[in-house]
Amino acid sequence: MRYSHKLIAQYIGGAVGKDELIGYLEMLGLNPSAIRKADGDAVFELETPANRGDLLSLTGVAREVLPFTTHSLKMPASGFKEKNSSLLPVKIEDKNDCYYYSCRIIKGIDPSAHPAWLKESMEKLGYRSSFSVVDISNYAMAETGQPLHIFDLDKIEGFVEVRRARKGEILTTLDGKKRELDAGVLVIADSKKAVALAGIMGGENSEVAAHTKNILIESAVFNPVVVRRGRRKLGLATEASARFERGIDAGCCKQGMARAAFLVSEICGGEAGPLSEEGIMDEQPPEIRLDGKKVDRLSGLEIEGAFIKNLLNKLNFDVKKRGSVYAVKPPPYRKDIREDVDVIEEVVKYRQYSEVPSEMPVASIKPTPSSAEVEAAEKIKDIAVRLGFTEVVNMGITSKENAALPGGPVPAEIENPLSANLGFLRTSLIPEMLEAAGFNVNREVKNLDIFELGRVYRKENSSYGEEWMLSFLSVNSGGFFSLKGKIHKLLEKSGIKDIDYASQPGIFSKEENLGVCCGGVETGNIFIVSEGIKGRYGLQKEDICGGEIRLEGVREKISFAGVFREQARYPSSRRDFSFVFPESLIWKKVEDLILSLELPVEKIECFDFYRGKNIPGSSISVSFSVIFRSSERTLGSEEVAGFTEKIINAVCSVLEGKLRGGSGDS
């Protein structure tokens, strides 16, 4: 909304200069920004807080600056005579959707009457001038803050009803767009059709025109949440919806109706009928206990009681003083005042913030203990960072393309999305991580190791499920086995043992996908991203692999408790082995076989594998080392040779391995 010095000055019972008014607004933190200065006037915009709907009006701004002056508020004239008895019945389907609805018929208006001052005011306020009655409704809204709508009475059939739209109902709004509605949108309807989007915009089928003679003025109080949801669903924001979403009070509603009827009667003539209304607005502002000593303590000033009482009275607060304590009731339109600190802020604001001394508060800070779940998550993140990964954080909402993965969970759709591209809850962290990778690669950051820990969601019949997921993505950085080793190390550092792997098809790679199991529980997978998936994100030329770990499945196994181990007293002996195995062999079988021999094995490490020259096409050469150590004595060379012989015989006979070379001391 735009404001004008001349328009605001009409409602102040005394002279306030242009620069003086702008100065007051700056002191109040409303940051007026000039649109233009001409003809002795100043047109500007304000930064109105989201909880101050009362400032979206000329009288509201005038009321806000009055405490700086000795003047009083001049409310616009609203008295008129009812000259006919015509009433239109009103119905409200659900009083939780619409608290109060009123309308008034005016018959026999002159639609051609359109004074110059009204057109000029529309221009200053930033509205496009239209028919006189439309300009009157906009001007009355700008004056009082109450959104109003004027229908062509002859296009309304039977009665007026506030109800939810029927599924598939169509309404063409005043902007010329045909909109398909459903029960998520509140409408104004007559006996046969919807005629307006409640609190948002009117419909073409009931709009006033140049030949309109009889009108119906609407003034109502709609549920702010219902208006906000309808506006988001339709993607349609208006001056009316901005005010309804901030909350309207009954006094403002009735004042707006009276002012609009007065202006129509004065400008266009006609015979006004009585008010037809439904619903009750029984607003009881909270009574707030304000301690004068607390005002001084929080502000750092000694503020006189007379100043506090006089200020609050000027702001239309009901104030009763009992000693140093005030019983304060804010006016109904001040919906931002709910606690004593809100009142104190008002006092300091008018005393001027510049007078508040700049001092560091004296306070003791006590650490708040984290929950076990949060603490575990932070430790897992620390381990990932130490392994060379960088954390990324994405939103839990995403596009349908990212959420509806082929072969993946059924995504949960958001009823009122922030935008068309953010209409679903994510089912995996990988798609957004691929988008992040694409963003970096396009800016010449070619090598990435990133991770994210967050929630993913899925639809399960008529209910919904969610779980914690830890995901990794490696781009041109070490390859599949490097990522597998890092994930394995992270699981071990998190206290998870008995980790196993098995080939299986996956969402992001049908063939090159390795399932991860911990203690027999399917926990996640590690994969090389398929060409098709890379193509969706413009990463065809990059080598990308990823991994996902479902933390819900291993939550009970996660432990970061340290165990002290005494330093080994006796030296170790290492032997290296190189075998040719069938390519289908799983490495864990080699480890399990060696450990089953009950030898004093301290560690088994695979350090090389090879496919190529001198190796059959369906085979692979694997080189690994075994470290032997006894906790009781030094192992002799003959003993170690015997251990080596046992391993060779077992691997050759059980796993069909073929020895490529002998063992040797390290």
Side-chain angles (χ1 to χ4, degrees):
M1 177 179 171
R2 291 181 179 178
Y3 304 81
S4 154
H5 165 251
K6 282 187 175 180
L7 292 178
I8 293 172
Q10 296 177 90
Y11 311 106
I12 299 175
V16 175
K18 179 174 54 179
D19 294 335
E20 190 180 1
L21 176 66
I22 297 296
Y24 293 152
L25 296 174
E26 287 175 345
M27 284 190 282
L28 291 170
L30 297 176
N31 301 326
S33 57
I35 301 296
R36 70 172 186 274
K37 293 183 179 181
D39 303 324
D41 199 2
V43 178
F44 52 88
E45 291 180 345
L46 298 177
E47 293 180 9
T48 55
N51 60 353
R52 293 297 306 274
D54 60 300
L55 293 181
L56 294 177
S57 67
L58 299 171
T59 53
V61 173
R63 186 191 296 118
E64 193 77 354
V65 301
L66 285 178
F68 291 114
T69 72
T70 57
H71 310 317
S72 58
L73 185 67
K74 286 173 57 180
M75 292 302 295
S78 58
F80 62 94
K81 291 183 179 180
E82 296 176 3
K83 296 181 180 180
N84 74 65
S85 58
S86 299
L87 275 171
L88 198 65
V90 173
K91 300 179 182 179
I92 299 177
E93 182 181 65
D94 186 344
K95 289 189 171 62
N96 286 323
D97 291 342
C98 177
Y99 307 133
Y100 174 81
Y101 188 92
S102 66
C103 60
R104 172 177 271 117
I105 292 171
I106 300 183
K107 290 185 174 181
I109 67 167
D110 176 10
S112 64
H114 206 162
W117 70 263
L118 183 58
K119 293 181 180 179
E120 182 184 343
S121 296
M122 286 297 99
E123 182 186 355
K124 287 182 178 181
L125 293 167
Y127 298 125
R128 180 173 58 87
S129 183
S130 181
F131 300 116
S132 56
V133 290
V134 176
D135 283 358
I136 286 170
S137 69
N138 284 330
Y139 185 70
M141 176 177 70
E143 280 188 308
T144 65
Q146 171 64 37
L148 303 155
H149 188 67
I150 298 182
F151 301 94
D152 187 324
L153 179 65
D154 298 325
K155 297 176 183 178
I156 304 295
E157 302 179 69
F159 55 82
V160 171
E161 181 180 18
V162 186
R163 61 169 172 82
R164 292 295 180 113
R166 312 300 183 222
K167 186 173 177 60
E169 195 167 14
I170 302 293
L171 176 66
T172 301
T173 46
L174 291 175
D175 57 1
K177 294 184 179 179
K178 186 177 289 187
R179 302 180 187 276
E180 184 173 349
L181 312 177
D182 59 27
V185 180
L186 192 67
V187 298
I188 311 300
D190 62 15
S191 60
K192 295 184 178 180
K193 62 187 179 298
V195 295
L197 302 175
I200 303 174
M201 184 178 283
E204 279 190 350
N205 58 5
S206 61
E207 71 174 321
V208 297
H211 58 271
T212 298
K213 293 290 185 182
N214 306 309
I215 61 172
L216 181 73
I217 305 176
E218 165 196 282
S219 184
V221 181
F222 302 112
N223 186 323
V225 175
V226 175
V227 174
R228 185 181 301 113
R229 287 176 177 169
R231 186 262 297 170
R232 285 183 175 174
K233 180 178 284 291
L234 298 170
L236 180 60
T238 62
E239 289 278 350
S241 67
R243 288 166 171 81
F244 279 120
E245 288 180 38
R246 286 168 165 82
I248 299 292
D249 69 278
C252 178
C253 178
K254 294 178 179 180
Q255 182 188 14
M257 166 62 80
R259 179 59 173 166
F262 168 83
L263 289 172
V264 170
S265 300
E266 287 290 306
I267 295 171
C268 303
E271 297 181 347
L275 192 67
S276 180
E277 56 187 337
E278 180 69 17
I280 299 173
M281 284 292 288
D282 185 21
E283 291 181 291
Q284 295 296 326
E287 182 172 282
I288 300 169
R289 183 179 181 277
L290 179 66
D291 189 341
K293 294 178 181 178
K294 187 174 181 180
V295 176
D296 293 347
R297 187 173 73 253
L298 292 185
S299 67
L301 301 169
E302 292 185 8
I303 300 179
E304 307 81 6
F307 176 85
I308 295 174
K309 194 171 188 302
N310 183 53
L311 168 67
L312 296 179
N313 284 332
K314 280 195 170 186
L315 290 173
N316 208 20
F317 286 60
D318 180 27
V319 184
K320 294 177 182 176
K321 188 176 181 183
R322 302 183 184 97
S324 64
V325 177
Y326 303 84
V328 179
K329 279 189 179 181
Y333 52 80
R334 288 302 301 270
K335 299 183 182 298
D336 59 310
I337 306 294
R338 289 295 176 266
E339 301 178 59
D340 59 350
V341 289
D342 299 325
V343 183
I344 293 171
E345 183 179 9
E346 292 297 300
V347 173
V348 176
K349 183 168 65 176
Y350 285 96
R351 186 59 179 259
Q352 297 186 31
Y353 291 119
S354 59
E355 291 189 18
V356 177
S358 300
E359 295 179 0
M360 288 295 292
V362 178
S364 60
I365 301 175
K366 295 181 179 179
T368 303
S370 299
S371 67
E373 184 180 74
V374 171
E375 195 170 306
E378 291 302 318
K379 288 182 177 179
I380 289 171
K381 289 180 182 181
D382 289 342
I383 295 169
V385 171
R386 289 200 297 271
L387 287 169
F389 292 96
T390 300
E391 184 181 10
V392 297
V393 179
N394 292 295
M395 292 193 296
I397 51 179
T398 188
S399 65
K400 184 176 182 179
E401 182 185 38
N402 285 344
L405 300 168
V410 177
E413 186 172 2
I414 298 171
E415 185 174 329
N416 294 299
L418 294 173
S419 71
N421 294 327
L422 299 171
F424 292 82
L425 295 176
R426 61 186 178 184
T427 55
S428 169
L429 306 180
I430 297 295
E432 278 73 36
M433 294 176 74
L434 287 167
E435 288 181 346
F439 179 89
N440 282 275
V441 168
N442 290 336
R443 286 156 180 79
E444 300 302 321
V445 182
K446 299 288 188 179
N447 306 96
L448 293 169
D449 276 315
I450 57 177
F451 81 97
E452 181 172 5
L453 194 159
R455 289 189 181 274
V456 295
Y457 309 86
R458 62 189 178 278
K459 188 175 182 181
E460 299 174 336
N461 299 321
S462 59
S463 62
Y464 299 90
E466 60 179 280
E467 64 177 337
W468 282 101
M469 189 75 77
L470 175 63
S471 297
F472 300 88
L473 205 67
S474 182
V475 182
N476 304 321
S477 182
F480 177 86
F481 288 101
S482 173
L483 177 63
K484 174 180 175 289
K486 290 178 179 180
I487 292 176
H488 188 96
K489 178 63 70 175
L490 182 140
L491 293 173
E492 285 186 335
K493 291 279 188 182
S494 301
I496 300 170
K497 309 298 182 185
D498 197 12
I499 306 165
D500 198 3
Y501 303 93
S503 295
Q504 63 181 38
I507 297 173
F508 300 100
S509 180
K510 296 298 181 187
E511 298 177 357
E512 296 171 302
N513 188 86
L514 197 62
V516 182
C517 292
C518 298
V521 178
E522 186 179 330
T523 304
N525 60 334
I526 305 170
F527 50 85
I528 297 175
V529 179
S530 69
E531 295 300 320
I533 296 291
K534 289 196 293 185
R536 288 171 62 177
Y537 298 94
L539 295 166
Q540 300 93 322
K541 297 180 181 180
E542 316 306 324
D543 294 322
I544 307 176
C545 49
E548 294 184 302
I549 301 297
R550 288 185 289 277
L551 294 179
E552 300 288 342
V554 294
R555 180 185 294 182
E556 301 301 323
K557 299 177 181 178
I558 293 175
S559 173
F560 300 97
V563 178
F564 174 75
R565 288 186 178 181
E566 185 179 355
Q567 185 71 26
R569 295 186 179 185
Y570 303 100
S572 64
S573 294
R574 168 177 163 165
R575 297 296 183 267
D576 295 336
F577 301 84
S578 186
F579 286 92
V580 176
F581 292 112
E583 194 172 28
S584 60
L585 182 70
I586 297 173
W587 166 251
K588 193 171 188 305
K589 290 186 177 182
V590 179
E591 287 185 324
D592 290 345
L593 176 62
I594 295 172
L595 293 174
S596 70
L597 299 176
E598 297 185 353
L599 303 174
V601 174
E602 183 179 73
K603 195 173 186 181
I604 304 171
E605 290 182 334
C606 177
F607 60 82
D608 189 32
F609 67 91
Y610 172 71
R611 295 184 185 93
K613 189 177 179 181
N614 300 325
I615 303 297
S618 59
S619 302
I620 184 171
S621 171
V622 179
S623 299
F624 60 92
S625 61
V626 179
I627 298 174
F628 304 98
R629 191 195 300 269
S630 170
S631 61
E632 300 174 350
R633 56 189 174 81
T634 300
L635 296 173
S637 58
E638 291 183 2
E639 283 183 288
V640 175
F643 300 154
T644 302
E645 192 67 26
K646 280 187 178 183
I647 291 173
I648 293 171
N649 292 336
V651 170
C652 290
S653 60
V654 177
L655 301 178
E656 300 179 359
K658 295 180 181 180
L659 185 66
R660 291 193 66 203
S663 61
D665 294 336
S666 60

